[in-house]
Amino acid sequence: MGGFSFRNLTFFLIVVVLVWCSNVETSNARRVGKHWRQRRSDFASLSKKKGKNHGGNHHHGDKSKQKTPSPPLSPPPAPSTKPPKKGGDELAPSTVFNVLDFGAKGDGSTDDTKAFQAAWAAACKVEASTVNIPSEYVFLVGPISFSGPYCQHNIVFQLDGKIIAPTSSKEWGSGLLQWLEFTKLVGLTIQGSGIVDGNGAVWWQDSSYDDPDDELKLIVPLNSTWAHNPPIPLKGSLGQKMPRIKPTALRFYGSFNVTVTGISIQNSPQCHLKFDNCVGVSVYNFSVLSPGDSPNTDGIHLQNSKDVLIRSSNIACGDDCVSIQTGCTNVYIHNVNCGPGHGISIGGLGKDNTKACVSNITVRDIVMHNTMNGVRVKTWQGGSGSVQNVLFSNIQVSEVQLPIVIDQYYCDKRECTNQTAAVALSGINYENIRGTYTVKPLHFACSDSMPCTGVTLTNIKLQPLQERYHMYDPYCWQTFGQLYTPTVPPIQCLLIGKPSSNKIQGDSDTC
């Protein structure tokens, strides 16, 4: 009985301990649960307040479904602290090379040639890069060549500032043929609103008229004296005489797909813009500004170049507004204002018994004011080759001395030897040429041995304007072709048809 009672007592104590432990755990669980529910309620309330304060787009469903926002995986990138490049360009720094960053001062007196060389060397290595010449700076730059052929393609020369040439004779040595030169490049563009100033006045000496325009022989003042005064002799900035050889301001050689737009070139010592051995040339919204008495300062000079477009430009200079030399084909010039100057010319061709080839030239929609010539073809005696398929159309002339000229006896020396050989001219067409002239409306002087053929005239109306020169009637010599409409004044000297014994071109004449 005692053993039984002891076992029962032991069992009873075990049950009591288990029950008591269970009650303690239940009570703790209730307290923890109550505390957790209160924390969740407080967090939800705080979240609603933040949503209202920050205008966030939170869901307003069951509070128990709301979640705390996750932190970002990585912090946002810090803003760049690199200062902007000088000159205000916003292009990628890796492709824009500002000459100021390479040491250029742009104060108009410090020599910035080396800085330009360094900027070009860097840009040359990067395709479609930009050399930036910023506005509001004046850069003194000596003779320099921006050269290929190992440069990358499609480089942009962004010219918004001003580049000036040195006026000290020591910078030019015995004389150079060009000042700023770009050679053997592909896809080069020179653009911007900047100016290239050649400081040509120091070059225009009293001995500068070594190569006068031969058409001066046709212009006789009423008082029988030549009233043209050459420029006042000037010296270089240090008093030295400038070299006899004068540089072209901007020259392109051996390049493909070249564009020049927006810029101005002024006061070049000689030619302003020259393209030599180039293919695919585009010039537009371009300006040349030099005095009408600045010697031998062609506006644009083309030689051995093809597929050329020149448009929407203003050219004022002391020689041909556009000069087209040997080796040029597929040239299209339109919407150009020319004057002062010597007009738009093909030639002179065949100098020193050389062969010259020019073909497929169109010049149209041109305004010329106060120029010596209008549209002209000029060749030297003794040359060979040919000029073919030329159209001069819709030319408006005002106070032009000689609006229409073919001269196969061109000579810019005091005396030239008579020779029978000549560059052959054929297919020269003139249409819609109107305005006023002050010396002679038309001058056709073709070769005796190689007459001009296929010369056509359509809608020519030129009125005389008496100024200070003797005036003359139209003149033709050995010129064959066709009048398609009546002309003003009447042009009765043109020989209709073809010459009866036209010289057959030999191999040396064929282009």
Side-chain angles (χ1 to χ4, degrees), residues 33 139 187 202 214 229 243 264 271 273 275 294 298 375 421 457 473 486 508:
F139 300 95
V202 299
D214 190 45
N229 295 319
S264 299
C271 179
L273 177 62
F275 297 93
S294 56
D298 288 353
V375 288
L457 298 170
D473 294 331
S508 63

Side-chain angles (χ1 to χ4, degrees), residues 239-437:
Q240 309 100 326
K241 187 175 181 179
M242 301 301 283
R244 189 175 184 86
I245 298 175
K246 304 176 184 67
T248 288
L250 180 58
R251 180 189 184 230
F252 296 86
Y253 174 78
S255 297
F256 294 85
N257 298 334
V258 176
T259 298
V260 176
T261 180
I263 70 168
S264 299
I265 305 178
Q266 63 189 32
N267 301 322
S268 177
Q270 198 171 47
C271 179
H272 288 78
L273 177 62
K274 180 182 288 187
F275 297 93
D276 194 355
N277 283 86
C278 293
V279 178
V281 172
S282 179
V283 179
Y284 61 96
N285 298 335
F286 167 73
S287 296
V288 167
L289 182 61
S290 289
D293 60 358
S294 56
N296 308 119
T297 53
D298 288 353
I300 301 175
H301 184 96
L302 306 175
Q303 184 167 331
N304 295 315
S305 295
K306 64 180 182 179
D307 303 333
V308 177
L309 171 64
I310 301 171
R311 66 172 178 86
S312 308
S313 296
N314 299 301
I315 302 176
C317 59
D319 210 313
D320 295 329
C321 291
V322 181
S323 172
I324 303 169
Q325 300 295 323
T326 185
C328 291
T329 186
N330 298 336
V331 177
Y332 186 31
I333 303 169
H334 71 99
N335 292 101
V336 171
N337 296 320
C338 169
H342 293 187
I344 295 178
S345 297
I346 297 174
L349 305 174
K351 186 175 183 179
D352 298 327
N353 302 326
T354 56
K355 181 177 181 179
C357 299
V358 175
S359 62
N360 300 336
I361 310 296
T362 298
V363 178
R364 65 183 309 143
D365 305 323
I366 308 296
V367 175
M368 297 188 181
H369 176 69
N370 194 27
T371 59
M372 176 185 292
N373 307 288
V375 288
R376 172 172 61 162
V377 181
K378 53 182 179 177
T379 68
W380 293 70
Q381 295 183 72
S384 61
S386 68
V387 176
Q388 306 178 70
N389 191 19
V390 177
L391 173 63
F392 298 112
S393 176
N394 197 25
I395 313 294
Q396 181 69 42
V397 296
S398 173
E399 301 180 59
V400 171
Q401 294 169 343
L402 303 160
I404 301 174
V405 176
I406 294 177
D407 186 2
Q408 290 204 276
Y409 299 89
Y410 187 79
C411 174
D412 61 7
K413 303 176 182 177
R414 291 188 176 182
E415 184 177 347
C416 292
T417 304
N418 287 328
Q419 300 183 60
T420 57
V423 178
L425 306 186
S426 62
I428 315 297
N429 304 283
Y430 303 86
E431 64 181 30
N432 299 324
I433 300 180
R434 303 167 181 263
T436 59
Y437 67 94

Side-chain angles (χ1 to χ4, degrees), residues 428-449:
I428 315 297
N429 304 283
Y430 303 86
E431 64 181 30
N432 299 324
I433 300 180
R434 303 167 181 263
T436 59
Y437 67 94
T438 60
V439 175
K440 185 187 294 187
L442 178 146
H443 180 84
F444 286 158
C446 295
S447 168
D448 286 311
S449 60

Side-chain angles (χ1 to χ4, degrees), residues 11 24 28 55 62 97 101 110 132-133 135 152 174 199 217 220 225 233-234 268 295 360 380 402 433 435 450 465 486:
F11 178 77
V24 170
N28 288 339
D62 187 356
F97 302 91
D101 296 335
T110 302
N132 188 21
I133 298 90
S135 61
Q152 296 296 316
S174 59
N199 279 324
K217 66 179 183 280
V220 181
T225 61
L234 296 171
S268 177
N360 300 336
W380 293 70
L402 303 160
I433 300 180
M450 188 75 71
L465 181 63

